[in-house]
Amino acid sequence: MDAVTAARMVMVYYIGMALGRFLSGILAARLNSWQIIRIGQWILGIALIGLLLPVSSYISAACLFMVGLGNGPMFPNFN
């Protein structure tokens, strides 16, 4: 993989993390912290399983996005 593609994949991870934090802020009005964390864990688990599979780089980038999406709400919701 070349450096430009790797940088784009890392950027996709950070976009997922920013979106995850944004969505956790919206969900905070309806769900408690542990429910939001549990949703993030499920998303993270599915994404990690997808990363372990031998798939194309596009699917790996989507899984990295989901890893960021799942990790995003973790830190702000720990009490």
Side-chain angles (χ1 to χ4, degrees):
M1 177 180 307
D2 61 336
V4 174
T5 305
R8 286 182 182 155
M9 291 180 81
V10 171
M11 180 189 67
V12 167
Y13 166 76
Y14 283 112
I15 290 171
M17 184 174 286
L19 184 62
R21 289 192 178 196
F22 176 74
L23 291 175
S24 73
I26 292 173
L27 290 175
R30 297 182 185 213
L31 302 173
N32 66 32
S33 294
W34 289 108
Q35 289 173 324
I36 295 172
I37 291 170
R38 187 94 1 111
I39 291 169
Q41 287 176 337
W42 276 102
I43 293 170
L44 183 61
I46 292 168
L48 291 176
I49 290 170
L51 280 174
L52 292 174
L53 299 174
V55 292
S56 72
S57 62
Y58 294 112
I59 296 174
S60 294
C63 289
L64 279 177
F65 174 79
M66 288 177 54
V67 167
L69 190 67
N71 278 335
M74 296 293 180
F75 177 72
N77 287 300
F78 285 132
N79 292 340

